[in-house]
Amino acid sequence: MNIRDYVRDISDFPKPGIVFKDITPLLANPDALVYCADRIVDLCPNTIKIDKVIAVEARGFILGGMIAERLKAGLILVRKKGKLPFEVNSINYGLEYGEDTLEIHKDAIMPGENVLIHDDVLATGGTAKAVCDLVKELGGNVIQCSFIMQLDFLNGKENLTSDVASLLNY
Ligand code: AMP
């Protein structure tokens, strides 16, 4: 199955000069959706038991849940500032313009747990690097950062020290 056919380019969204990779056609197609979750799990190292899948707000939540179910792992939500109800650890990270904050519950990961981080797109890697730092602060081991796609021309992989896996490269 060629899932590239289900990723739609939207020019100048959310601002001029950005080509937004819209995954809603992929999510809307039952075969493409299941295929994506299955293939991402195939790319995950099968010699290490993953304890937690960390899903990044908001588009990371969807496949993140499906991956966690397949790996029989727990699902942890990393969210934007102010959305999580319990005590949190926070991290500020740089965006193309300005900065943003991501948060994780303080009790989300036990020291020594093996973690897979999932988001839809790896662009500059700022988001994934911030999530890796949140996981490490709680004592977790980042086994892999997985994405539906990576934008190679932004070199996001260079910001990450962990294994990186993605189904599509642009
Ligand atoms: P970055 O921190 O630059 O790697 O950006 C990754 C985050 O921004 C992910 O959560 C993506 O969902 C989103 N993102 C960045 N660039 C794009 C893009 N061109 N199309 C869709 N989502 C994007």
Side-chain angles (χ1 to χ4, degrees), residues 64-150:
M66 296 174 74
I67 297 163
E69 185 267 335
R70 283 161 170 73
L71 291 174
K72 297 187 170 43
L75 178 66
I76 301 298
L77 307 181
V78 164
R79 301 206 62 183
K80 303 276 169 61
K81 190 180 174 64
K83 301 280 191 183
L84 287 171
F86 185 59
E87 291 171 37
V88 294
N89 282 0
S90 303
I91 189 163
N92 291 322
Y93 65 106
L95 294 171
E96 211 173 340
Y97 300 102
E99 45 176 53
D100 212 342
T101 304
L102 285 173
E103 296 184 335
I104 191 168
H105 275 157
K106 279 182 186 290
D107 64 352
I109 299 164
M110 298 299 119
E113 281 191 319
N114 294 327
V115 160
L116 179 137
I117 293 170
H118 176 74
D119 201 357
D120 64 334
V121 175
L122 174 64
T124 65
T127 305
K129 162 80 167 54
V131 178
C132 286
D133 289 347
L134 284 173
V135 168
K136 287 175 194 163
E137 199 181 5
L138 291 175
N141 307 316
V142 180
I143 302 302
Q144 187 180 70
C145 293
S146 82
F147 306 89
I148 300 173
M149 71 196 86
Q150 64 186 75

Side-chain angles (χ1 to χ4, degrees), residues 13-14 18-22 56-60 93-96 119-128 147 149 151 153-154 156:
F13 183 87
I18 304 285
V19 179
F20 188 84
K21 297 292 186 190
D22 177 20
V56 184
E57 185 168 0
R59 288 179 299 278
Y93 65 106
L95 294 171
E96 211 173 340
D119 201 357
D120 64 334
V121 175
L122 174 64
T124 65
T127 305
F147 306 89
M149 71 196 86
L151 309 182
F153 55 92
L154 292 174

